Amino acid sequence: MPNPRNHPICGVCANKLVKNGKTSAGRTRWRCKHCGSSAIQTRTDSAKKADFTSFIAWLTSTQPRGDFATSTRTFTRKIQWCWTVTPGWLRQAKSMTRSCSTAPTSTAGAC
Ligand SMILES: [Zn+2]
């Protein structure tokens, strides 16, 4: 089941996308055979995804930042934008202020 990193998956139906020519900017255009939606994958997207994965790995581990990049400073810079991302479950928890018990344990202190 080869799934190369640069082979995107449809954001609508999660099927594999197939190459469908190029955009005027020279980027590969991808198309979903299943639902017909098209997408353009940029390198920034996959790099960001990797950074965010490291960010989560670091948050949920006790390892120092330096273990996730070439240096602590590099890692701090790479994941800076991740702090501004609001996870779906957090948004949900905020909109359900009454039912604190449904929020993950990490936010239990706020209740
Ligand atoms: Zn699709």
Side-chain angles (χ1 to χ4, degrees):
M1 21 118 261
N3 186 19
R5 281 192 167 222
N6 61 355
H7 197 124
I9 281 173
C10 178
V12 180
C13 68
N15 277 281
K16 269 189 191 171
L17 299 178
V18 294
K19 279 186 186 176
N20 187 42
K22 292 205 171 182
T23 66
S24 51
R27 282 181 180 152
T28 307
R29 191 194 297 275
W30 299 86
R31 187 161 195 88
C32 177
K33 271 186 173 175
H34 193 78
C35 72
S37 77
S38 64
I40 298 151
Q41 198 191 37
T42 63
R43 289 207 60 182
T44 320
D45 282 349
S46 49
K48 272 197 160 191
K49 213 176 278 181
D51 288 347
F52 194 69
T53 304
S54 313
F55 174 67
I56 296 298
W58 165 66
L59 273 187
T60 56
S61 85
T62 55
Q63 291 170 264
R65 292 173 193 216
D67 282 15
F68 295 92
T70 46
S71 75
T72 301
R73 194 179 283 202
T74 306
F75 186 70
T76 306
R77 182 168 43 81
K78 273 172 73 163
I79 57 130
Q80 205 158 33
W81 65 274
C82 299
W83 293 108
T84 63
V85 175
T86 306
W89 63 260
L90 187 58
R91 261 197 299 263
Q92 265 190 334
K94 277 182 179 169
S95 65
M96 301 186 304
T97 45
R98 288 223 177 161
S99 45
C100 274
S101 55
T102 59
T105 47
S106 55
T107 60
C111 298

